[in-house]
Amino acid sequence: MTRLPRLILAAAALTAAAAPLPVLAGDAAAARAALLEQYAAEARAADPAFTAFSAAAGESLFRTRWAAGDARTPACTACHTDDPRSPGRNARTGRPIDPVAVSATPSRFSDPAEVEKQFGRDCEAVLGRACTAREKGDYITFMQEQ
């Protein structure tokens, strides 16, 4: 085999090895549970009286119209629609967004880095501030029930 085909095969092998593997439903649930436990530990550190996340509080966070964020995104529903099981659209760019509900997108909230990136950007845009660990846990808990 000449040098060029070997290089092409090596590059293809590296590309395949670097490609993300699909998240299996059980793996996603375990990753979500670990992330929720991390948020629970942070919530307990901030408030020793914290006992559990609330889907009702998560729904309130999702549906409330906030005044401090970007005027184009006064609520999570501005991009994710009133039904979190439906596809959404970015209010600023028009880019399609997969449903935020776990029942419709089982891999949702399974990659901690991606979750933190989304909360970091979206909480600032919607609430005008960072979300607390408790708010993040409440939100995910609500979305797990959808």
Side-chain angles (χ1 to χ4, degrees), residues 109-131:
F109 308 111
S110 62
D111 178 344
E114 181 66 20
V115 171
E116 278 302 304
K117 181 180 100 175
Q118 294 297 124
F119 275 131
R121 183 189 64 221
D122 296 346
C123 291
E124 284 294 332
V126 176
L127 281 65
R129 62 171 174 78
C131 285

Side-chain angles (χ1 to χ4, degrees), residues 72-138:
R72 295 172 291 186
T73 54
C76 299
T77 58
C79 294
H80 294 293
T81 80
D82 287 333
D83 181 358
R85 295 168 298 218
S86 296
R89 187 162 300 279
N90 186 295
R92 292 173 281 184
T93 67
R95 178 185 59 83
I97 301 172
D98 289 337
V100 71
V102 171
S103 65
T105 309
S107 63
R108 187 64 86 165
F109 308 111
S110 62
D111 178 344
E114 181 66 20
V115 171
E116 278 302 304
K117 181 180 100 175
Q118 294 297 124
F119 275 131
R121 183 189 64 221
D122 296 346
C123 291
E124 284 294 332
V126 176
L127 281 65
R129 62 171 174 78
C131 285
T132 66
R134 185 177 201 150
E135 288 169 327
K136 293 173 190 178
D138 289 343

